[in-house]
Amino acid sequence: MAQPAAFQAHDPRVHLQEKNDDVAPEHFVLADGLAPNIETYLHYAREQRDKEIAEVRREGHRPPTGWLSELFGLNRLARDQDSFVSEKKAESDEAAVLAVTPAEYRAASGSLRTASWGAVFYLITTDILGPYTTPFAFAQVGYGPGVACFVVFGVMAAYSGLLLWHLFLKLDSERFPLRSFGDLGYRIYGSWFRILCNVLQSLQLIVNVALIILGNGQGLSQMAQFNLCFSVCNIVWMLAGMILGQIRTLQKFGWVANFSIWLNIITLVITMGAVAHTPPNYAAAQSAYNITAGPVETVAINPQPFELQLNGIMQIVFSYGGAMIFVEFMAEMRRPMDFWKAMACAQVFITVVYMFFGLFVYSYQGQFVLILANQGISLYSLQTATNAISLVAALIAAALYGNIGIKVIYQNILVELFRAPPLTVKAGKYLFAVLVIVYWSLAYVIGSAIPQFSNLSALVAAVCIFQFTYTFPPFMILGYVMQVDAMSHDSPYDVNNPRASRIDSWWSIYRWVRGYKRHFLFNTWNVVLSLACLATATLAAYSSVTSIITDFQTGTSGTTFGCISPLQ
């Protein structure tokens, strides 16, 4: 019997390179030795979408797929045989890719696309689900701005997701498959944008790992009732990460990653039950915020300094931080045209669950809410239970983030710039093992040097997450629309002579005017939106850095590499 959809698909967070270690050509070239132009990508993407539409029509005799059936994997029961055949074919193609030619890679790329939109829904929510910081966001801004920001950021995240979905459908094909956010950016703006995306992606992943080490260290110190040095608590998780990181291929761990969503939900339920029947953790709140015990206070609008409010809002941005790997999700789908269903369901789920949880906990704990809500439980037994469960879920996330981050660095820096050996040879495996130790050591240094979970998470949200979710998608659709509209006067595309269709180049002002004016309002909207998002991210990054410096100066945070826990 086939497994439910959530457990059957490859996990796109396990980068394609992770499945094959030495995969397909990174840089496609045409017969003339040059990289394909956007006309070529558009041509083959159009053929690919036509092929997928024809496949859907051929399968029209199958039972209709319902939303709930797709989400819970029930419709898979009607496709057991096809799933078995597809998996076997994918496995054989996956092995064949190790000795790849461009033609063989195109065939394998197509057969490895097996995920349904229901499976992708689970993957999106598993990747993003971590609403423990949302009560803190409401505490910083109050009920009104908190709800408004949640809704607005949710709508704009959905808009960005639709833009990425549209771009993927227009530029991806089996002949020239898209595999990452940087690949998509490269096809629109070139190498400089791919480098920027890869740098920000690497930075986001390593800081995410640092946050996991820091959060798990705080949880372990609570479980030990602060009898264990905080730096030692962090070292424990660093060593655990170094051990788990030696697993180079995580494709078989997809079901474990999807299991973490249920661990998170259990933690949320226990946390809500605990805060409703026990007082806040006054001691931890006094250590973290220097506020004394007293009555719980909640406000509609919190009139505190703007920097603190902005740091709270960045926790909401962190909630919608999955756009960085949306391209990887779509690359794994059998029918990428169905991605909008997974994205829409996930955004609604995240908005409703996160906002409800944040409002619920804030209503009971008010100004005493901690950055990780479950650590604000005052009853030690329930606090320990939620910490134990969340530590397991976080360890799963750490394994995924660390593995992907290391592979991104290995492929884009060591292989491309320093000609490092592929991971399939012994030298590559040894080098990867060393890199794992260096990566987790660096993550430990970041987390222990800045033991301020709220400020550090706000900083990575402003510098990295905000760009992938809000700044880059409108900027990318702007470049795409302008290039497509500029083709309106060009000759028809000739597959045998792909560079002969243009009547002018981008050195001509007429091509710029032609590209911008056809969708003037839409282009202007995306220009304004991109600049507004960039300005907001810059201001938020400045506020985060300012808050980090202030907390160190006032002593309201833990000390660098100290033994005193930030919650103590």
Side-chain angles (χ1 to χ4, degrees), residues 259-319:
F259 176 65
S260 68
I261 185 176
W262 303 110
L263 296 178
N264 281 311
I265 290 176
I266 292 172
T267 303
L268 301 186
V269 172
I270 296 176
T271 300
M272 289 190 292
V275 300
H277 296 92
T278 60
N281 190 340
Y282 295 117
Q286 182 174 9
S287 177
Y289 311 131
N290 198 25
I291 55 177
T292 57
V296 171
E297 298 177 359
T298 57
V299 295
I301 299 176
N302 193 345
Q304 64 174 336
F306 181 68
E307 291 85 356
L308 298 179
Q309 291 182 329
L310 200 54
N311 283 351
I313 291 174
M314 285 301 106
Q315 306 306 321
I316 300 176
V317 172
F318 209 100
S319 300

Side-chain angles (χ1 to χ4, degrees), residues 445-508:
V445 170
I446 294 173
S448 297
I450 311 175
Q452 303 175 24
F453 195 100
S454 60
N455 292 331
L456 188 58
S457 60
L459 181 61
V460 70
V463 174
C464 302
I465 297 176
F466 209 96
Q467 317 311 321
F468 288 112
T469 305
Y470 300 108
T471 306
F472 288 165
F475 178 63
M476 291 163 68
I477 197 69
L478 171 68
Y480 167 80
V481 170
M482 287 186 62
Q483 291 186 71
V484 171
D485 287 348
M487 299 175 194
S488 58
H489 290 184
D490 291 346
S491 304
Y493 177 78
D494 183 1
V495 68
N496 295 316
N497 193 2
R499 307 186 192 282
S501 60
R502 297 187 184 183
I503 62 172
D504 52 14
S505 71
W506 287 102
W507 292 104
S508 170

Side-chain angles (χ1 to χ4, degrees), residues 507-519:
W507 292 104
S508 170
I509 188 63
Y510 298 106
R511 193 168 187 86
W512 286 89
V513 172
R514 193 166 65 247
Y516 192 88
K517 72 176 183 179
R518 186 172 181 179
H519 293 93

Side-chain angles (χ1 to χ4, degrees), residues 86-394:
S86 296
E87 288 177 3
K88 292 302 180 183
K89 187 173 188 299
E91 290 174 3
S92 62
D93 283 332
E94 206 167 1
V97 166
L98 290 176
V100 349
T101 66
E104 290 170 338
Y105 177 66
R106 290 195 294 273
S109 174
S111 65
L112 288 172
R113 299 183 179 203
T114 58
S116 69
W117 71 265
V120 171
F121 164 81
Y122 276 92
L123 294 171
I124 293 176
T125 52
T126 301
D127 182 76
I128 303 173
L129 188 61
Y132 308 116
T133 63
T134 54
F136 175 82
F138 281 102
Q140 299 304 304
V141 299
Y143 285 118
V147 172
C149 287
F150 248 107
V151 173
V152 171
F153 280 125
V155 171
M156 295 311 299
Y159 173 72
S160 295
L162 290 175
L163 294 183
L164 294 175
W165 172 62
H166 179 79
L167 291 171
F168 185 91
L169 294 181
K170 296 298 183 180
L171 295 173
D172 169 77
S173 63
E174 287 185 4
R175 187 178 184 88
F176 302 112
L178 285 169
R179 295 185 291 174
S180 67
F181 200 104
D183 285 348
L184 183 58
Y186 170 78
R187 299 189 183 186
I188 299 172
Y189 288 114
S191 298
W192 71 270
F193 194 73
R194 178 167 60 183
I195 293 173
L196 176 62
C197 291
N198 288 336
V199 169
L200 290 180
Q201 184 184 37
S202 300
L203 179 62
Q204 179 178 335
L205 289 169
I206 195 169
V207 176
N208 279 351
V209 173
L211 287 170
I212 290 172
I213 292 176
L214 181 59
N216 280 10
Q218 292 181 177
L220 184 58
S221 68
Q222 276 191 326
M223 296 173 69
Q225 296 183 309
F226 307 113
N227 292 319
L228 186 62
C229 175
F230 180 64
S231 290
V232 174
C233 294
N234 289 341
I235 290 174
V236 168
W237 297 110
M238 177 193 71
L239 295 176
M242 289 179 178
I243 295 172
L244 285 177
Q246 298 303 324
I247 304 174
R248 291 182 298 109
T249 303
L250 291 178
Q251 60 183 5
K252 302 301 183 184
F253 284 28
W255 68 272
V256 180
N258 292 326
F259 176 65
S260 68
I261 185 176
W262 303 110
L263 296 178
N264 281 311
I265 290 176
I266 292 172
T267 303
L268 301 186
V269 172
I270 296 176
T271 300
M272 289 190 292
V275 300
H277 296 92
T278 60
N281 190 340
Y282 295 117
Q286 182 174 9
S287 177
Y289 311 131
N290 198 25
I291 55 177
T292 57
V296 171
E297 298 177 359
T298 57
V299 295
I301 299 176
N302 193 345
Q304 64 174 336
F306 181 68
E307 291 85 356
L308 298 179
Q309 291 182 329
L310 200 54
N311 283 351
I313 291 174
M314 285 301 106
Q315 306 306 321
I316 300 176
V317 172
F318 209 100
S319 300
Y320 296 105
M324 178 186 70
I325 49 179
F326 277 1
V327 174
E328 278 92 335
F329 291 155
M330 287 183 277
E332 293 289 329
M333 294 186 68
R334 183 182 182 189
R335 296 169 184 162
M337 288 181 287
D338 288 340
F339 174 78
W340 71 271
K341 301 177 186 177
M343 191 269 298
C345 289
Q347 298 292 7
V348 171
F349 176 82
I350 290 166
T351 301
V352 173
V353 172
Y354 281 36
M355 190 158 57
F356 176 79
F357 178 75
L359 290 169
F360 188 95
V361 175
Y362 174 59
S363 297
Y364 280 101
Q365 294 201 333
Q367 73 275 27
F368 300 105
V369 164
L370 296 184
I371 180 63
L372 295 175
N374 67 298
Q375 295 179 357
I377 299 174
S378 58
L379 187 62
Y380 177 73
S381 58
L382 291 179
Q383 179 193 96
T384 302
T386 57
N387 272 327
I389 297 172
S390 62
L391 292 183
V392 174

